[in-house]
Coordinates of all heavy atoms in Angstrom, one line a residue:
M1 N 87.4 106.8 109.5 CA 87.5 105.4 109.4 C 87.6 105.0 107.9 O 88.4 104.3 107.5 CB 86.3 104.8 110.0 CG 86.5 103.3 110.6 SD 88.0 103.2 111.5 CE 88.3 101.5 111.5
R2 N 86.7 105.6 107.1 CA 86.8 105.4 105.7 C 88.1 105.7 105.1 O 88.7 104.9 104.3 CB 85.7 106.2 105.0 CG 84.7 105.4 104.2 CD 83.6 106.3 103.8 NE 83.5 106.4 102.3 CZ 83.1 105.4 101.5 NH1 82.8 104.2 102.1 NH2 83.1 105.6 100.2
K3 N 88.6 106.9 105.5 CA 89.9 107.4 105.0 C 91.0 106.5 105.4 O 91.9 106.1 104.5 CB 90.2 108.8 105.5 CG 89.6 110.0 104.9 CD 90.6 110.8 104.2 CE 90.1 111.7 103.2 NZ 88.7 111.9 102.9
F4 N 90.9 106.0 106.6 CA 91.9 105.1 107.0 C 91.9 103.8 106.2 O 93.0 103.4 105.7 CB 91.7 104.7 108.6 CG 92.6 103.6 109.0 CD1 94.0 104.0 109.2 CD2 92.2 102.3 109.2 CE1 94.8 102.9 109.8 CE2 93.1 101.4 109.7 CZ 94.4 101.7 109.9
S5 N 90.7 103.2 105.9 CA 90.8 102.0 105.2 C 91.2 102.1 103.7 O 91.8 101.4 103.2 CB 89.4 101.2 105.2 OG 88.4 102.1 104.7
F6 N 90.9 103.3 103.1 CA 91.4 103.6 101.8 C 92.9 103.7 101.8 O 93.6 103.1 100.9 CB 90.8 105.0 101.3 CG 89.4 104.8 100.7 CD1 88.6 105.8 100.9 CD2 89.1 103.7 100.0 CE1 87.3 105.7 100.5 CE2 87.7 103.6 99.6 CZ 86.9 104.6 99.7
A7 N 93.5 104.4 102.8 CA 94.9 104.5 102.9 C 95.5 103.1 103.0 O 96.6 102.8 102.4 CB 95.3 105.3 104.1
C8 N 94.8 102.3 103.9 CA 95.5 100.9 104.1 C 95.4 100.2 102.8 O 96.4 99.6 102.3 CB 94.4 100.2 105.0 SG 95.1 99.7 106.5
L9 N 94.3 100.2 102.1 CA 94.1 99.5 100.8 C 95.1 99.9 99.8 O 95.7 99.2 99.0 CB 92.8 99.7 100.1 CG 91.6 98.8 100.7 CD1 90.3 99.3 100.1 CD2 92.0 97.4 100.2
F10 N 95.4 101.3 99.8 CA 96.4 101.8 98.8 C 97.7 101.3 99.2 O 98.4 100.9 98.2 CB 96.3 103.4 99.0 CG 97.2 104.0 98.1 CD1 97.4 103.7 96.7 CD2 98.0 105.1 98.5 CE1 98.2 104.4 95.9 CE2 99.1 105.7 97.8 CZ 99.1 105.3 96.4
G11 N 98.1 101.4 100.4 CA 99.4 100.8 100.8 C 99.5 99.3 100.3 O 100.5 98.9 99.7
L12 N 98.4 98.6 100.5 CA 98.5 97.2 100.2 C 98.6 97.0 98.7 O 99.3 96.1 98.1 CB 97.2 96.4 100.7 CG 97.2 96.2 102.2 CD1 95.8 95.6 102.6 CD2 98.2 95.1 102.5
A13 N 97.9 97.9 98.0 CA 97.8 97.8 96.5 C 99.3 98.1 96.0 O 99.9 97.4 95.2 CB 96.9 98.8 95.9
L14 N 99.9 99.0 96.6 CA 101.3 99.3 96.2 C 102.3 98.3 96.6 O 103.1 97.8 95.8 CB 101.8 100.6 96.9 CG 101.2 101.9 96.3 CD1 101.8 103.1 97.0 CD2 101.4 102.0 94.9
A15 N 102.0 97.7 97.7 CA 102.9 96.6 98.2 C 102.8 95.4 97.2 O 103.7 94.8 96.9 CB 102.5 96.1 99.6
T16 N 101.5 95.1 96.8 CA 101.2 94.1 95.8 C 101.9 94.4 94.5 O 102.6 93.5 93.8 CB 99.8 93.9 95.5 OG1 99.1 93.7 96.8 CG2 99.5 92.7 94.6
A17 N 101.9 95.6 94.0 CA 102.3 95.9 92.7 C 103.9 95.9 92.7 O 104.4 95.6 91.6 CB 101.9 97.4 92.3
F18 N 104.5 96.2 93.8 CA 105.9 96.3 93.8 C 106.7 95.2 94.6 O 107.8 95.3 94.9 CB 106.4 97.6 94.2 CG 105.8 98.7 93.3 CD1 104.9 99.5 93.8 CD2 106.3 98.8 92.0 CE1 104.4 100.5 92.9 CE2 105.8 99.8 91.2 CZ 104.8 100.6 91.6
S19 N 105.9 94.2 94.9 CA 106.6 93.1 95.8 C 107.3 92.0 95.0 O 107.4 92.2 93.8 CB 105.5 92.5 96.7 OG 104.5 91.9 95.9
A20 N 107.7 91.0 95.6 CA 108.6 90.0 95.0 C 107.9 89.3 93.7 O 106.7 89.4 93.6 CB 108.8 88.9 96.1
P21 N 108.8 88.8 92.9 CA 108.3 88.3 91.6 C 107.2 87.1 91.8 O 106.3 87.1 91.0 CB 109.6 87.6 91.1 CG 110.6 88.2 91.6 CD 110.2 88.8 93.0
G22 N 107.2 86.5 93.0 CA 106.2 85.5 93.2 C 104.8 85.9 93.1 O 103.9 85.3 92.7
S23 N 104.6 87.2 93.6 CA 103.3 87.8 93.6 C 103.3 88.9 92.6 O 102.4 89.8 92.7 CB 102.9 88.4 95.0 OG 103.8 89.3 95.3
A24 N 103.9 88.9 91.6 CA 103.9 89.9 90.5 C 102.6 90.0 89.9 O 101.8 89.1 89.7 CB 105.1 89.6 89.4
A25 N 102.2 91.3 89.4 CA 101.0 91.5 88.8 C 100.9 90.7 87.4 O 101.9 90.5 86.8 CB 100.9 92.9 88.5
D26 N 99.7 90.3 87.1 CA 99.5 89.5 86.0 C 98.9 90.3 84.8 O 97.7 90.6 84.8 CB 98.6 88.3 86.4 CG 98.3 87.3 85.2 OD1 98.6 87.7 84.0 OD2 98.0 86.2 85.6
V27 N 99.7 90.6 83.8 CA 99.3 91.4 82.7 C 98.1 90.9 81.9 O 97.1 91.6 81.6 CB 100.4 91.8 81.8 CG1 100.0 92.5 80.6 CG2 101.5 92.6 82.4
A28 N 98.1 89.6 81.6 CA 97.1 88.9 81.0 C 95.8 89.0 81.6 O 94.7 89.2 81.0 CB 97.5 87.5 80.6
Q29 N 95.9 88.7 83.0 CA 94.7 88.9 83.8 C 94.1 90.3 83.8 O 92.9 90.6 83.6 CB 95.0 88.6 85.2 CG 93.9 88.4 86.2 CD 92.9 87.4 85.8 OE1 93.2 86.5 85.1 NE2 91.7 87.7 86.2
G30 N 95.1 91.3 83.8 CA 94.6 92.7 83.8 C 93.9 93.0 82.5 O 92.9 93.7 82.5
E31 N 94.4 92.4 81.4 CA 93.8 92.7 80.2 C 92.4 92.1 80.1 O 91.4 92.5 79.6 CB 94.7 92.0 79.0 CG 94.0 92.2 77.6 CD 95.0 91.7 76.5 OE1 96.1 91.2 76.8 OE2 94.6 92.0 75.3
K32 N 92.3 90.9 80.6 CA 90.9 90.3 80.8 C 89.9 91.1 81.5 O 88.8 91.3 81.0 CB 91.1 88.8 81.4 CG 90.7 87.7 80.5 CD 91.1 86.4 81.0 CE 90.3 86.0 82.3 NZ 90.9 84.7 82.8
I33 N 90.4 91.7 82.7 CA 89.5 92.5 83.5 C 89.1 93.7 82.7 O 88.0 94.1 82.7 CB 90.2 92.8 84.8 CG1 90.5 91.6 85.6 CG2 89.3 93.7 85.7 CD1 91.5 91.8 86.8
A34 N 90.2 94.3 82.1 CA 89.9 95.5 81.4 C 88.9 95.3 80.3 O 87.9 96.2 80.0 CB 91.1 96.0 80.7
K35 N 89.0 94.2 79.5 CA 88.1 94.0 78.4 C 86.7 93.6 78.9 O 85.7 94.0 78.3 CB 88.6 92.9 77.4 CG 89.8 93.5 76.7 CD 90.4 92.5 75.6 CE 91.4 93.3 74.7 NZ 92.3 92.4 74.0
R36 N 86.7 93.0 80.1 CA 85.4 92.6 80.6 C 84.6 93.8 81.3 O 83.4 94.0 81.0 CB 85.4 91.5 81.6 CG 84.1 91.0 82.0 CD 84.1 89.7 82.8 NE 84.9 88.7 82.3 CZ 85.6 87.7 83.0 NH1 85.5 87.7 84.3 NH2 86.3 86.8 82.4
W37 N 85.4 94.5 82.1 CA 84.6 95.5 82.9 C 84.9 97.0 82.6 O 84.1 97.9 83.0 CB 85.1 95.4 84.4 CG 84.8 94.1 85.0 CD1 85.7 93.0 85.3 CD2 83.5 93.5 85.4 NE1 85.1 92.0 85.9 CE2 83.8 92.2 85.9 CE3 82.2 94.0 85.3 CZ2 82.7 91.4 86.4 CZ3 81.2 93.3 85.7 CH2 81.5 92.0 86.3
C38 N 85.8 97.3 81.8 CA 86.2 98.7 81.5 C 85.9 99.0 80.1 O 85.8 100.3 79.8 CB 87.7 98.9 81.9 SG 88.2 98.0 83.3
A39 N 85.8 98.1 79.1 CA 85.8 98.5 77.7 C 84.5 99.2 77.3 O 84.3 99.8 76.2 CB 86.0 97.2 76.9
A40 N 83.5 99.1 78.1 CA 82.0 99.7 77.7 C 82.4 101.3 77.7 O 81.7 101.9 77.0 CB 81.1 99.4 78.8
C41 N 83.3 101.8 78.6 CA 83.4 103.2 78.6 C 84.8 103.7 78.1 O 84.9 104.7 77.6 CB 83.3 103.7 80.1 SG 81.7 103.4 80.8
H42 N 85.8 102.8 78.4 CA 87.2 103.2 78.0 C 87.7 102.5 76.8 O 87.4 101.3 76.6 CB 88.2 102.9 79.1 CG 88.1 103.7 80.4 ND1 88.6 104.8 80.6 CD2 87.3 103.3 81.6 CE1 88.4 105.3 81.8 NE2 87.5 104.5 82.4
V43 N 88.5 103.1 76.0 CA 89.2 102.3 75.0 C 90.4 101.7 75.7 O 91.2 102.3 76.3 CB 89.8 103.3 73.9 CG1 90.8 102.5 73.0 CG2 88.6 103.8 73.0
V44 N 90.3 100.4 75.9 CA 91.3 99.6 76.7 C 92.4 99.0 75.9 O 93.3 98.4 76.5 CB 90.6 98.6 77.6 CG1 89.5 99.3 78.4 CG2 90.1 97.4 76.8
A45 N 92.3 98.9 74.6 CA 93.3 98.2 73.9 C 93.6 98.9 72.4 O 92.7 99.6 72.1 CB 92.9 96.7 73.5
Q46 N 94.8 98.7 72.0 CA 95.1 99.5 70.8 C 94.2 99.1 69.6 O 93.9 100.0 68.8 CB 96.5 98.9 70.3 CG 97.5 100.1 70.4 CD 98.4 99.9 71.6 OE1 98.7 98.8 71.9 NE2 98.9 101.0 72.2
D47 N 93.6 97.9 69.5 CA 92.7 97.6 68.4 C 91.2 97.8 68.7 O 90.4 97.5 67.9 CB 92.9 96.0 68.1 CG 92.6 95.1 69.2 OD1 92.2 95.7 70.4 OD2 92.7 93.9 69.0
Q48 N 90.9 98.4 69.8 CA 89.5 98.9 70.1 C 89.2 100.2 69.5 O 90.0 101.1 69.8 CB 89.3 98.9 71.6 CG 87.9 99.1 72.0 CD 87.6 99.2 73.5 OE1 88.4 98.8 74.2 NE2 86.4 99.9 73.8
K49 N 88.2 100.3 68.7 CA 88.0 101.6 68.0 C 87.2 102.5 68.7 O 87.4 103.7 68.7 CB 87.3 101.1 66.7 CG 88.1 100.3 65.7 CD 89.2 101.2 65.1 CE 90.1 100.4 64.1 NZ 91.3 99.8 64.8
Q50 N 86.2 102.2 69.5 CA 85.4 103.1 70.2 C 84.8 102.6 71.5 O 84.6 101.6 71.8 CB 84.3 103.7 69.3 CG 83.3 102.7 68.9 CD 82.2 103.1 68.0 OE1 82.3 104.2 67.4 NE2 81.1 102.5 68.0
A51 N 84.6 103.7 72.3 CA 84.0 103.5 73.6 C 83.1 104.8 73.9 O 82.7 105.4 73.0 CB 85.0 103.3 74.7
S52 N 82.9 105.1 75.2 CA 82.2 106.4 75.4 C 83.0 107.6 75.0 O 84.2 107.5 75.1 CB 82.0 106.5 76.9 OG 81.0 105.5 77.3
V53 N 82.3 108.7 74.6 CA 83.1 109.9 74.4 C 83.5 110.5 75.7 O 82.8 110.3 76.8 CB 82.2 110.9 73.6 CG1 82.1 110.5 72.1 CG2 80.8 111.0 74.2
D54 N 84.5 111.3 75.8 CA 85.0 112.0 76.9 C 85.5 111.1 78.1 O 85.5 111.6 79.2 CB 83.8 112.9 77.5 CG 83.4 114.0 76.6 OD1 84.3 114.3 75.7 OD2 82.3 114.4 76.6
V55 N 85.7 109.9 77.7 CA 86.4 109.0 78.7 C 87.8 108.7 78.3 O 88.1 108.4 77.1 CB 85.6 107.6 78.9 CG1 86.3 106.8 80.0 CG2 84.2 108.0 79.4
P56 N 88.8 109.0 79.1 CA 90.1 108.9 78.7 C 90.4 107.4 78.3 O 89.9 106.5 78.9 CB 91.0 109.2 79.9 CG 90.1 109.3 81.1 CD 88.7 109.5 80.6
T57 N 91.2 107.2 77.3 CA 91.7 105.8 76.9 C 92.7 105.3 77.9 O 93.3 106.2 78.6 CB 92.3 105.7 75.5 OG1 93.6 106.4 75.6 CG2 91.5 106.3 74.4
F58 N 92.9 104.0 78.0 CA 93.9 103.5 79.0 C 95.3 103.9 78.6 O 96.1 104.2 79.4 CB 93.8 102.0 79.1 CG 92.8 101.5 80.0 CD1 91.7 102.4 80.6 CD2 92.6 100.2 80.5 CE1 90.7 101.9 81.4 CE2 91.7 99.7 81.3 CZ 90.8 100.6 81.8
A59 N 95.6 103.9 77.3 CA 96.8 104.4 76.9 C 97.2 105.8 77.3 O 98.3 106.1 77.7 CB 97.1 104.2 75.3
D60 N 96.2 106.6 77.2 CA 96.3 108.0 77.5 C 96.5 108.2 79.0 O 97.4 108.9 79.5 CB 95.1 108.8 77.0 CG 95.2 110.3 77.3 OD1 96.2 110.8 77.0 OD2 94.2 110.9 77.8
A61 N 95.7 107.5 79.8 CA 95.8 107.5 81.3 C 97.2 107.1 81.7 O 97.9 107.6 82.5 CB 94.7 106.7 81.9
A62 N 97.7 105.9 81.1 CA 99.0 105.5 81.4 C 100.1 106.5 81.0 O 101.2 106.5 81.6 CB 99.2 104.1 80.7
R63 N 99.9 107.3 80.0 CA 100.9 108.2 79.7 C 101.0 109.4 80.7 O 102.1 109.8 81.0 CB 100.7 108.8 78.3 CG 101.8 109.6 77.6 CD 101.5 110.3 76.3 NE 100.5 111.2 76.5 CZ 99.3 111.2 75.8 NH1 99.1 110.2 75.0 NH2 98.4 112.2 76.0
R64 N 99.8 109.8 81.2 CA 99.7 110.9 82.1 C 100.0 110.5 83.5 O 100.5 111.4 84.3 CB 98.4 111.6 81.9 CG 98.3 112.5 80.8 CD 96.9 113.2 80.7 NE 95.8 112.3 80.4 CZ 95.0 111.8 81.3 NH1 95.1 112.1 82.5 NH2 94.0 111.0 81.0
E65 N 99.8 109.3 83.9 CA 99.9 109.0 85.2 C 100.8 107.8 85.6 O 101.0 106.9 84.8 CB 98.5 108.6 85.8 CG 97.5 109.7 85.5 CD 96.2 109.5 86.3 OE1 96.2 108.8 87.2 OE2 95.2 110.2 85.7
S66 N 101.4 107.9 86.8 CA 102.3 106.9 87.2 C 101.5 105.7 87.7 O 100.3 105.8 87.8 CB 103.2 107.4 88.4 OG 102.3 107.5 89.4
D67 N 102.1 104.5 87.9 CA 101.5 103.3 88.3 C 100.9 103.6 89.8 O 99.8 103.2 90.0 CB 102.5 102.2 88.6 CG 103.1 101.7 87.3 OD1 102.6 102.2 86.1 OD2 103.8 100.7 87.1
Q68 N 101.5 104.4 90.6 CA 101.0 104.8 91.9 C 99.7 105.5 91.8 O 98.7 105.3 92.4 CB 102.0 105.6 92.7 CG 103.1 104.7 93.2 CD 104.4 104.9 92.2 OE1 104.1 104.9 91.0 NE2 105.6 105.0 92.8
Q69 N 99.7 106.5 90.9 CA 98.5 107.4 90.6 C 97.3 106.5 90.1 O 96.2 106.6 90.6 CB 98.8 108.5 89.6 CG 99.7 109.6 90.3 CD 100.2 110.6 89.2 OE1 100.6 110.2 88.2 NE2 100.0 112.0 89.6
L70 N 97.6 105.6 89.1 CA 96.6 104.7 88.6 C 95.9 103.8 89.7 O 94.7 103.7 89.8 CB 97.1 103.9 87.4 CG 97.5 104.6 86.2 CD1 98.2 103.6 85.2 CD2 96.3 105.3 85.5
S71 N 96.8 103.3 90.5 CA 96.4 102.3 91.6 C 95.6 103.1 92.5 O 94.5 102.7 92.9 CB 97.6 101.8 92.3 OG 98.4 101.0 91.5
A72 N 96.0 104.4 92.8 CA 95.3 105.1 93.9 C 93.9 105.5 93.4 O 92.9 105.5 94.1 CB 96.0 106.4 94.2
F73 N 93.8 105.9 92.1 CA 92.6 106.2 91.6 C 91.6 105.0 91.5 O 90.4 105.1 91.9 CB 92.7 106.6 90.0 CG 91.4 107.0 89.3 CD1 91.0 108.3 89.4 CD2 90.7 106.0 88.6 CE1 89.7 108.5 88.9 CE2 89.5 106.3 88.1 CZ 88.9 107.5 88.2
L74 N 92.1 103.8 91.3 CA 91.3 102.7 91.2 C 90.8 102.1 92.6 O 89.8 101.4 92.7 CB 92.0 101.5 90.4 CG 92.1 101.9 88.9 CD1 93.0 100.8 88.2 CD2 90.7 101.9 88.2
V75 N 91.6 102.4 93.6 CA 91.2 102.1 95.0 C 90.0 103.0 95.4 O 89.1 102.4 96.1 CB 92.3 102.3 96.0 CG1 91.8 102.1 97.4 CG2 93.5 101.2 95.7
D76 N 89.9 104.1 94.9 CA 88.9 105.2 95.3 C 88.5 105.8 94.0 O 88.9 107.0 93.8 CB 89.6 106.1 96.3 CG 88.5 107.0 96.9 OD1 87.2 106.8 96.7 OD2 88.8 107.9 97.5
P77 N 87.6 105.2 93.1 CA 87.4 105.8 91.8 C 86.6 107.0 91.9 O 85.9 107.3 92.9 CB 86.6 104.7 91.1 CG 86.8 103.5 91.9 CD 87.0 103.9 93.3
H78 N 86.9 107.8 90.8 CA 86.0 109.0 90.7 C 84.5 108.8 90.7 O 84.2 107.7 90.1 CB 86.6 109.7 89.4 CG 86.0 111.2 89.2 ND1 84.8 111.4 88.8 CD2 86.7 112.3 89.4 CE1 84.7 112.7 88.7 NE2 85.8 113.3 89.1
P79 N 83.7 109.7 91.3 CA 82.3 109.4 91.2 C 81.6 109.2 89.9 O 80.7 108.4 89.8 CB 81.7 110.7 91.9 CG 82.8 111.3 92.7 CD 84.1 110.8 92.0
K80 N 82.2 109.7 88.8 CA 81.6 109.5 87.5 C 81.7 108.1 87.0 O 81.1 107.6 86.2 CB 82.2 110.5 86.5 CG 81.5 111.7 86.4 CD 82.0 112.4 85.1 CE 82.8 113.6 85.4 NZ 83.4 114.2 84.2
M81 N 82.7 107.4 87.7 CA 82.9 106.0 87.3 C 82.4 105.1 88.4 O 82.5 105.3 89.6 CB 84.4 105.9 87.2 CG 84.9 104.6 86.6 SD 86.6 104.6 86.4 CE 87.0 103.1 87.1
P82 N 81.8 103.9 88.0 CA 81.1 103.1 89.0 C 82.3 102.5 89.9 O 83.4 102.2 89.4 CB 80.5 102.0 88.2 CG 81.2 102.0 86.9 CD 81.5 103.5 86.7
D83 N 82.1 102.3 91.2 CA 82.9 101.7 92.0 C 82.8 100.1 91.8 O 81.8 99.5 92.2 CB 82.7 102.0 93.5 CG 83.7 101.3 94.4 OD1 84.5 100.5 94.0 OD2 83.6 101.6 95.6
L84 N 83.8 99.6 91.1 CA 83.7 98.1 90.7 C 84.2 97.2 91.8 O 84.2 96.0 91.6 CB 84.4 97.9 89.4 CG 83.9 98.7 88.3 CD1 84.9 99.0 87.2 CD2 82.6 98.0 87.7
H85 N 84.6 97.7 92.9 CA 85.0 96.9 94.1 C 86.3 96.0 93.6 O 86.1 94.7 93.7 CB 84.0 96.0 94.7 CG 82.9 96.9 95.2 ND1 83.0 97.7 96.3 CD2 81.6 97.1 94.8 CE1 81.9 98.4 96.5 NE2 81.1 98.2 95.6
L86 N 87.2 96.5 93.0 CA 88.3 95.8 92.5 C 89.1 95.4 93.7 O 89.4 96.1 94.6 CB 89.2 96.6 91.6 CG 88.5 97.0 90.3 CD1 89.3 98.1 89.5 CD2 88.3 95.9 89.3
S87 N 89.7 94.1 93.7 CA 90.6 93.6 94.7 C 92.0 94.2 94.4 O 92.2 94.8 93.2 CB 90.7 92.2 94.7 OG 91.5 91.8 93.7
R88 N 92.9 94.2 95.4 CA 94.1 94.8 95.2 C 95.0 94.1 94.2 O 95.7 94.6 93.3 CB 94.9 95.0 96.5 CG 95.2 93.9 97.3 CD 95.4 94.2 98.8 NE 95.1 93.2 99.6 CZ 95.9 92.2 99.9 NH1 97.1 92.1 99.3 NH2 95.6 91.2 100.7
S89 N 94.8 92.8 94.0 CA 95.5 92.1 93.0 C 94.9 92.4 91.6 O 95.6 92.5 90.7 CB 95.6 90.6 93.3 OG 94.4 89.9 93.0
E90 N 93.6 92.7 91.6 CA 93.0 93.0 90.3 C 93.5 94.4 89.8 O 93.8 94.7 88.7 CB 91.4 93.0 90.3 CG 90.9 91.6 90.4 CD 89.4 91.7 90.7 OE1 89.0 92.6 91.5 OE2 88.7 90.8 90.2
I91 N 93.7 95.3 90.9 CA 94.1 96.6 90.6 C 95.6 96.5 90.0 O 96.0 97.1 89.0 CB 94.1 97.6 91.7 CG1 92.6 97.9 92.0 CG2 94.9 98.8 91.6 CD1 92.4 98.7 93.3
A92 N 96.4 95.8 90.7 CA 97.8 95.6 90.3 C 97.9 95.0 88.8 O 98.7 95.4 88.0 CB 98.6 94.7 91.3
D93 N 97.1 94.0 88.6 CA 96.9 93.4 87.2 C 96.6 94.4 86.2 O 97.1 94.5 85.1 CB 96.0 92.3 87.2 CG 96.4 91.1 88.1 OD1 97.6 91.1 88.5 OD2 95.5 90.1 88.3
L94 N 95.6 95.2 86.5 CA 95.1 96.3 85.6 C 96.1 97.3 85.3 O 96.4 97.7 84.1 CB 93.8 96.9 86.2 CG 92.5 96.2 85.9 CD1 91.5 96.9 86.8 CD2 92.1 96.3 84.5
V95 N 96.8 97.8 86.4 CA 97.8 98.8 86.2 C 99.0 98.2 85.3 O 99.5 98.9 84.5 CB 98.3 99.3 87.5 CG1 99.5 100.2 87.4 CG2 97.2 100.1 88.3
A96 N 99.4 97.0 85.6 CA 100.4 96.4 84.8 C 100.0 96.3 83.3 O 100.8 96.4 82.5 CB 100.7 94.8 85.4
Y97 N 98.8 96.0 83.1 CA 98.3 95.9 81.7 C 98.4 97.2 81.1 O 98.8 97.4 80.0 CB 96.9 95.3 81.6 CG 96.3 95.4 80.3 CD1 96.8 94.9 79.2 CD2 95.2 96.2 80.0 CE1 96.3 95.0 77.9 CE2 94.6 96.5 78.8 CZ 95.3 95.9 77.8 OH 94.6 96.0 76.5
M98 N 97.8 98.3 81.8 CA 97.7 99.7 81.4 C 99.2 100.2 80.9 O 99.4 100.8 80.0 CB 97.1 100.6 82.3 CG 95.6 100.3 82.4 SD 94.8 101.2 83.8 CE 94.6 102.8 82.9
R99 N 100.2 99.8 81.9 CA 101.5 100.2 81.6 C 102.0 99.5 80.2 O 102.9 100.2 79.6 CB 102.4 99.7 82.8 CG 103.8 100.2 82.7 CD 103.9 101.7 82.5 NE 103.3 102.5 83.6 CZ 102.7 103.7 83.5 NH1 102.9 104.3 82.3 NH2 102.2 104.3 84.5
T100 N 101.6 98.4 79.9 CA 102.1 97.8 78.6 C 101.5 98.7 77.4 O 102.1 98.6 76.3 CB 101.6 96.4 78.4 OG1 100.1 96.3 78.2 CG2 102.0 95.5 79.5
L101 N 100.5 99.4 77.7 CA 100.0 100.2 76.5 C 100.8 101.4 76.2 O 100.7 102.0 75.3 CB 98.4 100.7 76.8 CG 97.4 99.5 77.0 CD1 96.1 100.1 77.5 CD2 97.4 98.7 75.7
N102 N 101.5 101.8 77.4 CA 102.3 103.1 77.3 C 103.6 102.8 78.2 O 103.7 103.4 79.4 CB 101.5 104.2 77.7 CG 102.0 105.4 76.9 OD1 103.1 105.8 77.0 ND2 101.1 106.1 76.2
P103 N 104.5 102.1 77.8 CA 105.6 101.7 78.6 C 106.5 103.0 79.1 O 106.5 103.9 78.3 CB 106.5 100.8 77.8 CG 105.7 100.4 76.6 CD 104.7 101.5 76.5
Ligands
LIG201 C1 80.5 103.6 83.3 C2 81.6 104.0 82.5 C3 83.1 103.5 83.1 C4 83.5 102.2 83.3 C5 82.7 101.0 83.3 C6 84.8 102.4 83.7 N1 85.3 103.7 83.7 FE1 87.1 104.5 84.3 N2 86.4 106.4 84.0 C7 85.2 106.7 83.5 C8 84.9 108.1 83.4 C9 83.8 108.9 83.0 C10 86.3 108.6 83.8 C11 86.7 110.1 83.9 C12 86.5 110.6 85.3 C13 86.9 112.0 85.4 O1 88.0 112.2 85.3 O2 86.1 112.8 85.8 C14 87.1 107.5 84.1 C15 88.4 107.6 84.6 C16 89.2 106.5 84.8 C17 90.7 106.6 85.2 C18 91.5 107.9 85.4 C19 92.1 108.3 84.0 C20 92.8 109.5 84.0 O3 93.0 110.1 82.9 O4 93.1 110.1 85.1 C21 91.2 105.3 85.2 C22 92.6 105.0 85.6 C23 90.0 104.5 85.0 N3 89.0 105.2 84.7 C24 90.1 103.1 84.9 C25 89.1 102.3 84.7 C26 89.2 100.8 85.0 C27 90.5 100.0 85.2 C28 87.9 100.3 84.6 C29 87.4 98.8 84.7 C30 87.8 98.1 85.9 C31 87.0 101.4 84.3 N4 87.8 102.6 84.4 C32 85.7 101.3 84.1 C33 84.1 105.9 83.2 C34 84.1 104.4 83.3

């Protein structure tokens, strides 16, 4: 059941990320979420100097991973990272923002 709902959410996240312009991801919103919820551990912006050691920067993650991989990770985050219960539109916004760090 858990697996099923994750798969569902993932599909919805992708649908949101790649759907019509009307529901396009909001980069500015993604940046706001990143700076509020993620910057304690991750370097989330070019002008941010430090965060936790051993946590990948957003620019680095965006270089290594596709939008789909980033979305999938955020739907079902790694145990070392708190589950922040991001909505699928928040995930789409975050991924769109991360992509601007490494187009
Ligand atoms: C409490 C610290 C913490 C917070 C807060 C946090 N993260 Fe993480 N995050 C981590 C750690 C640690 C890892 C590395 C996990 C691993 O690979 O073992 C990670 C990994 C990631 C990855 C995978 C990176 C890669 O290289 O594959 C992404 C994407 C990510 N975080 C996004 C986010 C986003 C978006 C937020 C805010 C909504 C966030 N994180 C908040 C600690 C955190």
